[in-house]
Amino acid sequence: MGMTAAGGSTDLTAILLTEEQIAARVATLAEQLAQDYQGKCPLLIGVLKGSIVFLADLIRKMGIPLEIDLICVSSYGCNAQSSGRISLLKDVAADLTGRHVVLVEDIIDSGLTVAWLLETLRERQPASLAVVCLLNKPDRREVDVPINYTGFEIPDEFVVGYGLDFAEQYRYLPHVAVLRSQVP
Ligand code: PRP
């Protein structure tokens, strides 16, 4: 039991994905990526902050030479109608020209963040640009985005854990849980 930003109490209800389920799926995704990127030394770019847990587990299961980098974009807030409000807070250090780039996301919701990132990174002329996401919420999509590798399709519930937060809390949970407010 915790407190919401508004002062109401919250409860972590059902575990949606256990630690074991996540580990098994991450291993499968890593195997697919390793096959597809063998000999290409891919650059995996994690989108801060949510993706770091997924990125850390994924790269340790891939077993091929690769590089990592990190990028951070501003959150557009709940009322944004377009990706026009997104901006870069922290850029990658690597030169993407001619690289095989894989964008690593924890969750794709409206799709606005990934759409903006793909457009922005494509201008840097990578040899290829793919997206891997752990969680996909297709019910919430506002813009079509190509997702090359998906961990799980999940229903439209507010989920936390395994990197995902609510007001910066719960990122440390080893599983993914559904968060429900209990408004008094
Ligand atoms: C989450 C997630 C994606 C984005 C997905 O990040 O990591 O980047 O939202 O939403 P979208 O598909 O609707 O654009 P968030 O802004 O919560 O930041 P965080 O990763 O630092 O928690």
Side-chain angles (χ1 to χ4, degrees), residues 47-51 73 75-76 105-114 163 165 168 171:
V47 185
L48 292 169
K49 301 174 188 170
S51 73
V73 295
S75 205
Y76 48 80
E105 266 289 22
D106 53 341
I107 187 164
I108 297 181
D109 199 327
S110 68
L112 292 170
T113 305
V114 162
D165 76 309
E168 296 302 326
R171 294 192 197 273

Side-chain angles (χ1 to χ4, degrees), residues 35 37 52-53 64 71 73 90 93 112-113 118 126 131 149-150 155 169 173:
Q35 276 175 17
Y37 288 91
I52 63 158
V53 179
I64 61 165
I71 198 165
V73 295
K90 181 224 168 293
L112 292 170
T113 305
L118 287 175
V131 176
Y149 307 87
T150 302
Q169 283 302 305
L173 294 175

Side-chain angles (χ1 to χ4, degrees), residues 35-124:
Q35 276 175 17
D36 295 349
Y37 288 91
Q38 177 74 50
K40 293 182 174 173
C41 192
L43 177 67
L44 276 70
I45 301 179
V47 185
L48 292 169
K49 301 174 188 170
S51 73
I52 63 158
V53 179
F54 177 40
L55 177 69
D57 283 349
L58 193 64
I59 60 172
R60 284 179 292 176
K61 290 287 181 190
M62 283 177 64
I64 61 165
L66 58 83
E67 294 175 21
I68 61 167
D69 211 326
L70 296 164
I71 198 165
C72 188
V73 295
S74 63
S75 205
Y76 48 80
C78 300
N79 301 316
Q81 294 301 307
S82 79
S83 58
R85 295 188 188 195
I86 297 175
S87 61
L88 214 47
L89 292 181
K90 181 224 168 293
D91 204 347
V92 291
D95 178 0
L96 305 190
T97 315
R99 297 298 306 270
H100 291 282
V101 173
V102 181
L103 207 50
V104 181
E105 266 289 22
D106 53 341
I107 187 164
I108 297 181
D109 199 327
S110 68
L112 292 170
T113 305
V114 162
W116 188 89
L117 279 166
L118 287 175
E119 197 182 317
T120 303
L121 299 183
R122 202 170 281 127
E123 286 171 7
R124 301 179 189 185

